[in-house]
Amino acid sequence: MSTDPAAGATAAMLRARAAQPAWAALPVAERAHKMRAAGLAILQRAEELAQLIVTETQKPLAEAYSSEVLGVGDLFAYWCKHGPSQLAPRKGLVPALEMPGKKAFVQRVPRGVVACISPWNYPISLPMRTIVPALLAGNAVVLKPSEVTPRTGARLVQALQACLGDVVTLVEGDGAAGAALVQADPDLVVFTGSTRTGRKVAVACAERGIPCELELGGKDCAIVLDDCAVDRTAMGVAWGILTNAGQNCSGIERVAVHQGIAHVFVPKLVAALERAARDVPELVTPAQRAIVERHVQDALNRGAALLTGRLDADRALPPLLLTRVPADAAAWCDESFGPVAVLAQGGDDAELLALATDSRYGLGASVWSANATRAHAVANQVRSGMVWINNHSFSGALPDLPWTGMGDSGTGVTNSPDALAHMTRPRLVVHDTNTKPEPWWYPYGDKLVALMRVLVARQQAGGIGATIKTLRALNARMAELSK
Ligand code: NAD
């Protein structure tokens, strides 16, 4: 490993750039074939990778499997099966009357080398959501894993390289290595991480004219309506708050509950959080814990109360549920990224919606209700990239569904055909089989102007009857001009 970030990034970029043209030149079916083998090779290392994740992130082994390793098989299977048709050239529409003899095709061509800069909270599933479709589309990828999970990232790249060669390379190190990777001029940067770093990456990309996709922080809200299935909702919301110890970009950090059921729902939520406590590990870094403690202490200093849990420097953070938090407190406004949520009550759907949308973030939200019409009406008004009804966040594991945000959560897209749109560029190929000179070529004259007038008249006429009438007039006029 190079200790000079610039040298390390340049070397990884050069290797990926050298490998990319031959990879892109393969038929997509062949790339898919090779990638299936790579997917299998990773799955064969499932236990080793899961254990590595546990070591580096303290995740329970169950979560290392359920939210990381398991999804890898689905990602390869989805993209290798559906990607080739999504990448197939599209026939473009060319009007036969005005533009006779022309055929148009829109191809999807790879960008080139994609830089994938990743966070630590899901060190396999997040980068793989970019790596798999990017490779299938004919790109090479340089992965910069988080400095908090370097061994998982390195092992992943090693496994992919063993099957695919240098179309996947690795840049190791901290933020300086990530910044150096951007300076090494990739053709696209896919960044997943905090909003603060994402902004720096966006500026660096803009200065170099590099497109970038940003998947940033979140502050998701669960909207609990008074007709929800209370027991299931309490369990689901508790999971949404605590999964990955709350270190989840779409973790539930705010709960807006209808005051009509608060007296039943809140004790059940507290009980569900307390039951789950034994499965919630310590946070990955002391720095992350310090942020959560600061948010909670600040809220308490400003009159908030804890419905469960307490801060204790000598113990792992327990599930923490705050209430009476001022609307301008960090615990309500900023991403905490820990096993903590803030609960507020509202009297009707409009008030609950106002609580949920009171955020500069816009990644996910959930609506909990037994009434589909009411739930969809609320869901349609939430300002976020994803809304789940009677569940939360789990859809990131489904490759056909877009994972995306709004506002300070960034507007990048991973997963789904939408992700291919930014991993490729459209390239137009037009083939003209017309043997006659075009009427709009030189020399210009009255004939061309007359033709244009007839065509405009046709557009003005509208409707099928008028179009036929205008076409007749066009034919007659053309015949007259040809005499
Ligand atoms: P982070 O922003 O600190 O780091 C993310 C990555 O960027 C790391 O690999 C880091 O080394 C690198 N980096 C740091 N400075 C850089 C720079 N100047 N230029 C280029 N790269 C740089 O984030 P984190 O603490 O690793 O992850 C947690 C954050 O990620 C949370 O805010 C979370 O919400 C967010 N996240 C978002 C999503 C999503 O899909 N929207 C998913 C997971 C995590």
Side-chain angles (χ1 to χ4, degrees):
M1 175 190 157
S2 168
T3 46
D4 172 5
T10 306
M13 182 61 73
L14 285 176
R15 280 169 58 204
R17 206 169 274 299
Q20 190 266 335
W23 175 249
L26 293 176
V28 64
E30 206 171 318
R31 288 201 297 270
H33 178 71
K34 287 175 185 282
M35 287 178 64
R36 278 196 189 93
L40 207 58
I42 292 179
L43 286 178
Q44 278 157 358
R45 294 179 166 90
E47 182 63 23
E48 178 201 345
L49 286 168
Q51 294 292 352
L52 208 47
I53 290 170
V54 171
T55 311
E56 289 197 316
T57 68
Q58 283 96 56
K59 267 183 221 270
L61 187 60
E63 281 189 19
Y65 264 102
S66 65
S67 60
E68 296 269 42
V69 178
L70 193 62
V72 170
D74 293 336
L75 269 176
F76 278 97
Y78 172 83
W79 284 110
C80 292
K81 181 172 179 194
H82 300 285
S85 60
Q86 292 166 15
L87 289 164
R90 170 175 82 77
K91 212 172 149 197
L93 296 177
V94 182
L97 181 71
E98 293 94 329
M99 311 268 166
K102 292 157 187 54
K103 294 177 193 153
F105 302 93
V106 184
Q107 305 170 332
R108 304 287 335 170
V109 295
R111 292 260 185 191
V113 181
V114 176
C116 173
I117 303 177
S118 257
W120 45 262
N121 58 337
Y122 293 100
I124 287 190
S125 58
L126 286 179
M128 288 308 272
R129 282 188 213 170
T130 294
I131 291 173
V132 178
L135 288 178
L136 189 81
N139 297 288
V141 181
V142 182
L143 173 65
K144 207 308 264 170
S146 166
E147 58 275 33
V148 180
T149 52
R151 288 166 60 206
T152 309
R155 198 74 189 96
L156 191 63
V157 170
Q158 216 176 40
L160 288 166
Q161 278 181 341
C163 300
L164 304 172
D166 276 352
V167 287
V168 186
T169 61
L170 178 73
V171 166
E172 297 178 281
D174 58 10
L181 178 55
V182 177
Q183 301 297 315
D185 285 333
D187 300 296
L188 169 72
V189 173
V190 178
F191 173 85
T192 308
S194 62
T195 302
R196 180 206 281 252
T197 311
R199 294 239 162 98
K200 287 188 206 162
V201 170
V203 169
C205 284
E207 278 172 351
R208 305 186 78 81
I210 301 168
C212 68
E213 289 286 316
L214 305 175
E215 299 266 1
L216 309 177
K219 189 84 187 169
D220 285 13
C221 187
I223 305 169
V224 181
L225 305 186
D226 55 353
D227 60 358
C228 71
V230 176
D231 289 291
R232 184 178 183 277
T233 303
M235 289 172 74
V237 171
W239 182 84
I241 295 170
L242 297 179
T243 186
N244 206 23
Q247 301 160 118
N248 176 10
C249 50
S250 74
I252 296 175
E253 298 207 355
R254 297 174 302 144
V255 183
V257 58
H258 194 290
Q259 63 196 26
I261 57 157
H263 63 291
V264 208
F265 175 74
V266 175
K268 286 187 192 276
L269 176 60
V270 166
L273 290 169
E274 288 172 356
R275 269 198 313 274
R278 70 181 180 94
D279 288 324
V280 179
E282 178 55 290
L283 299 194
V284 170
T285 63
Q288 192 52 52
R289 178 177 171 133
I291 293 171
V292 176
E293 287 174 332
R294 179 163 54 76
H295 285 190
V296 174
Q297 194 55 59
D298 166 69
L300 294 174
N301 293 346
R302 298 180 60 191
L306 275 165
L307 292 166
T308 185
R310 68 187 176 88
L311 295 178
D312 179 345
D314 299 326
R315 306 180 62 167
L317 272 184
L320 297 151
L321 186 61
L322 284 160
T323 188
R324 298 203 308 268
V325 173
D328 62 346
W332 181 261
C333 306
D334 300 338
E335 185 180 47
S336 299
F337 224 52
V340 56
V342 175
L343 185 130
Q345 296 186 30
D348 57 23
D349 294 5
E351 241 177 83
L352 294 170
L353 249 171
L355 286 169
T357 49
D358 177 26
S359 176
R360 61 182 196 278
Y361 292 102
L363 191 56
S366 52
V367 183
W368 301 77
S369 167
N371 179 330
T373 310
R374 185 179 172 197
H376 280 275
V378 173
N380 289 342
Q381 295 174 75
V382 175
R383 180 183 157 278
S384 66
M386 300 169 289
V387 193
W388 304 276
I389 294 173
N390 295 327
N391 216 316
H392 200 96
S393 183
F394 73 100
S395 61
L398 304 176
D400 195 45
L401 308 185
W403 184 268
T404 188
M406 291 183 186
D408 275 8
S409 294
T411 52
V413 186
T414 51
N415 280 345
S416 83
D418 293 306
L420 278 187
H422 63 254
M423 289 177 180
T424 56
R425 293 288 303 147
R427 185 173 60 191
L428 174 67
V429 177
V430 177
H431 182 181
D432 192 350
T433 60
N434 186 14
T435 52
K436 294 192 183 127
E438 298 291 1
W440 67 83
W441 288 354
Y442 296 114
Y444 294 160
D446 291 349
K447 202 169 160 179
L448 175 60
V449 174
L451 172 63
M452 293 301 141
R453 284 190 177 133
V454 173
L455 291 175
V456 169
R458 179 191 166 213
Q459 288 175 341
Q460 288 166 343
I464 186 74
T467 303
I468 292 168
K469 219 166 128 188
T470 318
L471 286 178
R472 285 206 186 110
L474 171 66
N475 281 339
R477 184 76 183 126
M478 293 306 286
E480 201 183 303
L481 284 166
S482 319
K483 276 181 195 160

